[in-house]
Amino acid sequence: MAAGGRRRRAARTQRALGRAERERERDHHRPLNIHPSVSAAAGIVVCSSDQSKDVRSGRSSIDSIPAGPAMIRLKQPLLLSAQSGNVASPLFATAAATSSQQRRASRAGGRVRTCRISCASTEEAIGVSTSVTTKDRNLTVTAIVTAQKPTSVYVSRGLDDLQDLFGKTLLLELVSSELDPRTGREREKVKGFAHMTLKDGTYEAKMSVPESFGPVGAVMVENEHHREMFIKNIKLITGGDESTAITFDVASWVHSKFDNPEPRVFFTIKSYLPSQTPRGIEALRKKELETLRGDGQGERKFHERIYDYDTYNDLGDPDKNIDHKRPVIGGKEHPYPRDAAPVAPKPSSTRRRRRGAHRSIDALYSDGIPLPVDGSTSFNIINDVIPRVVQMIEDTTDHVLRFEVPHMVERDRFSWFRDEEFARQTLAGLNPICIRLLTEFPIVSKLDPEVYGPPESALTKELLEKMMNGLMTVEEALEKKRLYMLDYHDVFLPYVHKVRELPDTTLYGSRTIFFLGNEGTLMPLAIELTRPQSPTKPQWKCAFTHGPDATESWLWKLAKAHVLTHDTGYHQLVSHWLRTHACVEPYIIATNRQLSRMHPVHRLLHPHFRYTMEINALAREALINADGIIEEAFWPGRYSIELCSVAYDATWQFNTEALPEDLISRGLAVRQDDGELELTIKDYPYGSDGLLIWNCIKQWASDYITFYYKSDEDVTGDQELQAWWEEVRTKGHADKKDEPWWPVCDSKDNLVQILSIIMWVTSGHHAAVNFGQYHFGGYFPNRPTVVRKNIRWRRTGTTR
């Protein structure tokens, strides 16, 4: 890691990108991905007084437009006068001057022309317009801006309050979707200052808009304050009639013009492929993407909204503590997905917990932890921070913090002891995505025997057939798909000696074999623990089974505890963090860099990316950083993120992130002749329920893509889409860019598959490995994160 300058740049980068992410994700309104079946959302019609009779009598051209379920019908025509008092206001001098020129031109030429009037901002029915024969007049459009009220006090707050008082808070500019037919260039923008109203957080502007202006394709906002402000939405109302209102969902922080004089642009929520973009906003669309990409030069500033790629190069700060030195993750030596915002970690105040007996753990849920009595403040703070996992008990004498009892322990206090529950949680617990069908026997390690010792497994044919009680041979079990394995042998064995050098921590490589019984449920047969050879000791390996005597029974339980520790660490670092957070971040960066907010694919993916970058940034500060929560609480310690890199290099493939391909690759499903999947274990909720969700996601993606792309040529001809997918592969996952399994984005079917994978990983997959964490891990013995002592060898009484 570089010196102080590097860290300061990284910190600024993080703040800037955190802000950029909030702009995308602090969306308090309806989702932006609109289903084709509801694409006709509303309509706005503005008519001159000369046509009011025709509209009332039903002869207006709007009757040719079918009314959607949410079509807005005006109760009466809008009578708009060009002599509106608002035109003379100094705030609208530009619009008034334009209006005067148009009136003079009209009087001079005596022409009567056809004009299109609308302020469109949603799907097909929005911007419904009607051709009317009238003189070119001006319409009064009221813009209502809803913003978040400032909560902080800062030096220039007084100046900003004065700006509000004099009505110069926000400068709004309406951008037409059409080019001026006379010049072939963008129409002149209509400007107006928004002033603060009596309602907190609400600003209003009145603008005089020519009838010939055409649909409003974008609103540009210049913040006159000295501080950024959060704008929720902008509503445009024509002629004072609320039924004509159209809303631009902004949900974004807008920088001060004193930081950057360039205004922010917010587009219509109607989706456009690049080739279909209205010509009046084509240039703005390109310029906005260039702004989000940046030029890769100089230091990032606080207000900038730039998305870019970097390696994980700041997880530790060796300048402050040499023990915090960590390798750069991402590159040839340690392959890894790229992140967006490296940040220097904060000093960790976490202290290593001491060991205690089971009754001490149980006391957390029964007796609780006494708290100091200082009124209700401490109770409110704790309830706000961790309301789901604690119960607060307050009476006249005691103030106690008590952890919520996880439901599985509440139902059966000792269920975690039993083999049936151990097997059940492998299929339906917190990490149901690692078990796989055993297809080869005998089991042999793929690691170098010169380094790690003999590759043969201690799980022999005789041992497994004995534990199957003679029901069948190993060969028969393999043929009938009855043997399954949880394999943490080769992936962990290279780190055994390193982890054992950490204080109060040990590690083995492990394999666990399960048998699928006639009743369709799994039972564990045997566990193998391995310690690789070292310069001073030979390799050690042993197979453990549930034996008849007390010693073998307790050794079996200890072996299960080691396996659970391995599964817990792998779940948190790989199944959860790597696959649903770290690997997803490049998709988000590329989406914001290459796909306009008007692009239908951007709008489809946006809800699935909500909060991910913010969570990842916080994780780099406190979760996966040096001496962070993962290193302090989980057995890999300082090697956590390095081990995560090894798993990424060895196992991650984009194509097998699709649920059907994942199940097939692990032998948990077989594709039938009709294309349908048949699960090899029927009672496998992650597979059976997950396929229902996967099919829904893929059908939704297919319908959505078919609505916007009429042919495969539309896909290959979409420059933004092609640049997006190219960047995901070559920059976001640069260390795997040459792998042959990447799908090619050259058809509608392939695009549907790509989008379905991304949506599945960020929804169904993430839900499966995230939301059960307290239910299964809230009681530590059920999901231990670390084992302190080596297992004791039954023959000699020594530890190995």
Side-chain angles (χ1 to χ4, degrees):
M1 179 177 176
R6 167 68 175 175
R7 294 194 304 276
R8 288 192 296 272
R9 181 201 67 79
R12 283 193 290 272
T13 300
Q14 173 59 28
R15 290 195 297 271
L17 277 199
R19 191 161 316 283
E21 183 61 16
R22 292 202 306 275
E23 292 171 359
R24 299 292 184 189
E25 297 189 351
R26 289 191 56 177
D27 186 355
H28 304 292
H29 311 288
R30 54 189 162 87
L32 297 179
N33 51 324
I34 303 173
H35 195 280
S37 64
V38 293
S39 61
I44 297 176
V45 182
V46 182
C47 306
S48 70
S49 59
D50 296 335
Q51 207 195 13
S52 61
K53 182 176 180 180
D54 286 340
V55 173
R56 286 194 297 270
S57 65
R59 291 195 295 270
S60 171
S61 60
I62 193 173
D63 288 339
S64 64
I65 301 173
M71 180 72 75
I72 297 176
R73 296 288 190 180
L74 299 185
K75 296 180 181 178
Q76 59 184 11
L78 300 180
L79 305 180
L80 300 171
S81 171
Q83 303 300 324
S84 169
N86 293 315
V87 174
S89 170
L91 295 179
F92 310 108
T94 302
T98 304
S99 175
S100 299
Q101 294 170 1
Q102 291 170 341
R103 285 197 298 271
R104 287 194 296 270
S106 178
R107 285 194 297 269
R111 292 183 300 170
V112 178
R113 57 186 176 134
T114 301
C115 59
R116 188 155 71 97
I117 309 160
S118 67
C119 293
S121 72
T122 58
E123 291 291 337
E124 293 299 322
I126 294 207
V128 170
S129 59
T130 180
S131 296
V132 296
T133 303
T134 182
K135 293 182 179 180
D136 195 11
R137 298 179 178 179
N138 284 355
L139 313 176
T140 300
V141 174
T142 302
I144 299 176
V145 181
T146 304
Q148 183 174 289
K149 185 180 178 182
T151 56
S152 60
V153 178
Y154 48 93
V155 175
S156 54
R157 176 71 182 274
L159 295 176
D160 289 348
D161 289 343
L162 287 175
Q163 290 282 82
D164 289 341
L165 184 63
F166 288 105
K168 290 193 174 184
T169 302
L170 298 168
L171 176 61
L172 305 181
E173 300 179 73
L174 304 185
V175 183
S176 174
S177 294
E178 298 177 344
L179 297 178
D180 190 328
R182 295 170 299 178
T183 64
R185 299 180 179 178
E186 290 88 353
R187 290 185 183 273
E188 184 176 354
K189 301 177 183 67
V190 176
K191 301 181 181 180
F193 277 105
H195 61 274
M196 187 167 56
T197 66
L198 295 177
K199 185 178 179 181
D200 284 344
T202 302
Y203 301 84
E204 183 178 301
K206 290 188 180 297
M207 290 176 277
S208 183
V209 183
E211 284 181 327
S212 59
F213 190 73
V216 177
V219 177
M220 301 181 73
V221 181
E222 181 179 275
N223 177 15
E224 305 292 315
H225 279 162
H226 289 77
R227 290 287 294 271
E228 63 180 359
M229 64 186 301
F230 184 79
I231 297 180
K232 299 177 181 178
N233 60 63
I234 300 173
K235 184 185 295 185
L236 302 181
I237 302 173
T238 305
D241 189 336
E242 286 283 346
S243 66
T244 69
I246 55 174
T247 302
F248 284 73
D249 290 316
V250 176
S252 179
W253 290 92
V254 177
H255 61 260
S256 166
K257 74 171 186 179
F258 300 100
D259 291 327
N260 183 3
E262 288 292 323
R264 285 290 307 278
V265 57
F266 300 102
F267 293 105
T268 168
I269 62 171
K270 177 176 171 60
S271 298
Y272 295 102
L273 296 179
S275 61
Q276 300 167 349
T277 307
R279 297 189 63 189
I281 54 177
E282 270 184 336
L284 276 181
R285 178 173 184 153
K286 294 177 181 178
K287 183 178 179 181
E288 177 71 359
L289 285 175
E290 290 171 359
T291 299
L292 292 171
R293 287 194 290 265
D295 59 8
Q297 304 297 319
E299 291 187 1
R300 306 268 177 85
K301 296 181 176 61
F302 181 79
H303 63 271
E304 290 180 329
R305 301 175 301 121
I306 295 177
Y307 291 81
D308 210 343
Y309 301 92
D310 209 339
T311 56
Y312 287 66
N313 58 8
D314 60 347
L315 297 178
D317 188 354
D319 291 345
K320 291 184 178 179
N321 186 341
I322 192 61
D323 290 337
H324 286 180
K325 184 177 181 180
R326 299 292 183 270
V328 174
I329 304 298
K332 185 175 181 180
E333 186 175 355
H334 298 290
Y336 211 63
R338 300 302 188 260
D339 75 331
V343 59
K346 298 177 180 178
S348 173
S349 59
T350 307
R351 294 183 180 179
R352 191 176 296 278
R353 299 176 179 85
R354 295 182 179 273
R355 300 188 298 276
H358 283 169
R359 59 178 175 270
S360 299
I361 298 174
D362 293 343
L364 295 173
Y365 311 95
S366 56
D367 300 337
I369 303 172
L371 296 176
V373 180
D374 58 351
S376 60
T377 303
S378 61
F379 294 94
N380 292 334
I381 293 174
I382 294 174
N383 271 322
D384 289 341
V385 175
I386 44 176
R388 295 184 181 181
V389 299
V390 298
Q391 291 178 332
M392 302 299 301
I393 299 177
E394 181 179 2
D395 55 31
T396 56
T397 58
D398 297 319
H399 296 269
V400 177
L401 168 67
R402 179 183 297 172
F403 281 82
E404 189 79 34
V405 179
H407 293 308
M408 62 157 294
V409 177
E410 193 173 34
R411 291 196 304 266
D412 186 347
R413 184 180 174 187
F414 294 103
S415 61
W416 59 279
F417 245 29
R418 301 189 180 94
D419 289 352
E420 295 86 350
E421 182 66 12
F422 175 67
R424 187 189 75 84
Q425 288 190 29
T426 303
L427 287 176
L430 190 55
N431 190 31
I433 63 178
C434 288
I435 187 171
R436 58 179 56 247
L437 180 71
L438 183 62
T439 57
E440 297 179 354
F441 199 87
I443 303 169
V444 179
S445 171
K446 294 180 174 60
L447 298 176
D448 186 355
E450 295 294 327
V451 178
Y452 300 101
E456 294 78 17
S457 171
L459 300 170
T460 63
K461 172 181 168 66
E462 294 74 22
L463 177 68
L464 296 183
E465 290 178 352
K466 174 186 175 183
M467 297 308 299
M468 287 188 287
N469 296 320
L471 289 176
M472 60 185 70
T473 65
V474 168
E475 291 76 15
E476 290 172 334
L478 291 175
E479 183 180 355
K480 295 179 179 179
K481 296 181 171 57
R482 304 287 283 273
L483 292 177
Y484 295 82
M485 180 167 62
L486 195 60
D487 188 359
Y488 296 125
H489 187 276
D490 286 7
V491 68
F492 289 164
L493 209 62
Y495 284 86
V496 167
H497 293 310
K498 293 180 179 180
V499 170
R500 287 185 171 209
E501 293 175 355
L502 302 175
D504 295 328
T505 308
T506 192
L507 178 65
Y508 298 95
S510 70
R511 296 187 182 101
T512 306
I513 303 297
F514 298 87
F515 177 70
L516 182 64
N518 294 329
E519 67 282 3
T521 58
L522 280 186
M523 283 296 289
L525 295 183
I527 294 172
E528 176 187 18
L529 298 181
T530 304
R531 186 205 67 218
Q533 67 185 26
S534 70
T536 59
K537 294 181 179 179
Q539 182 195 70
W540 177 89
K541 65 181 69 169
C542 183
F544 297 86
T545 60
H546 196 159
D549 59 70
T551 299
E552 288 196 2
S553 177
W554 279 104
L555 285 172
W556 168 249
K557 290 180 172 61
L558 289 173
K560 285 196 299 180
H562 280 276
V563 172
L564 287 171
T565 304
H566 302 164
D567 192 60
T568 300
Y570 194 89
H571 156 262
Q572 201 63 264
L573 285 169
V574 180
S575 302
H576 186 192
W577 163 255
L578 173 66
R579 292 177 64 177
T580 70
H581 285 269
C583 288
V584 168
E585 190 160 349
Y587 311 151
I588 304 173
I589 300 171
T591 298
N592 285 289
R593 283 169 54 88
Q594 299 295 345
L595 297 179
S596 167
R597 200 169 185 179
M598 290 189 290
H599 199 290
V601 170
H602 187 293
R603 291 207 162 111
L604 176 67
L605 295 178
H606 174 74
H608 297 276
F609 294 157
R610 193 180 186 193
Y611 300 134
T612 301
M613 283 189 66
E614 183 178 6
I615 291 170
N616 289 5
L618 293 173
R620 287 187 286 269
E621 286 186 355
L623 188 68
I624 63 171
N625 62 305
D627 281 352
I629 294 172
I630 293 292
E631 290 195 4
E632 282 288 313
F634 289 76
W635 58 264
R638 63 181 294 117
Y639 304 106
S640 295
I641 199 69
E642 187 179 329
L643 194 149
C644 192
S645 167
V646 171
Y648 172 76
D649 186 38
T651 66
W652 189 84
Q653 293 185 198
F654 181 84
N655 60 325
T656 55
E657 291 297 282
L659 179 61
E661 281 65 30
D662 170 50
L663 295 174
I664 292 171
S665 69
R666 292 189 287 118
L668 271 295
V670 177
R671 194 175 296 277
Q672 303 297 304
D673 293 338
D674 60 0
E676 296 296 318
L677 292 187
E678 181 182 1
L679 296 177
T680 56
I681 301 178
K682 306 304 180 185
D683 187 16
Y684 183 30
Y686 177 76
S688 55
D689 297 346
L691 284 173
L692 295 176
I693 298 172
W694 166 267
N695 290 335
C696 290
I697 289 173
K698 189 165 185 179
Q699 184 62 55
W700 157 235
S702 179
D703 291 347
Y704 188 90
I705 292 305
T706 299
F707 181 80
Y708 287 102
Y709 295 90
K710 305 308 179 185
S711 66
D712 293 344
E713 288 72 23
D714 289 343
V715 173
T716 57
D718 186 338
Q719 295 178 351
E720 287 185 10
L721 182 72
Q722 296 301 322
W724 167 74
W725 186 235
E726 177 74 11
E727 193 166 284
V728 166
R729 294 183 294 108
T730 62
K731 291 188 176 181
H733 288 275
D735 299 326
K736 287 180 174 281
K737 63 184 177 66
D738 297 321
E739 296 289 349
W741 37 255
W742 284 105
V744 180
C745 189
D746 60 355
S747 67
K748 291 167 57 179
D749 288 344
N750 283 358
L751 176 57
V752 167
Q753 181 73 0
I754 289 168
L755 297 177
S756 298
I757 290 174
I758 294 174
M759 290 191 288
W760 161 254
V761 170
T762 54
S763 58
H765 178 158
H766 181 263
V769 298
N770 178 71
F771 293 118
Q773 289 187 91
Y774 191 74
H775 176 81
F776 292 107
Y779 188 68
F780 184 80
N782 186 64
R783 297 289 296 180
T785 61
V786 63
V787 172
R788 306 291 186 187
K789 297 293 185 181
N790 297 333
I791 198 164
R792 187 171 293 277
W793 181 231
R794 60 188 175 215
R795 294 175 182 171
T796 63
T798 59
T799 58
R800 296 286 175 173

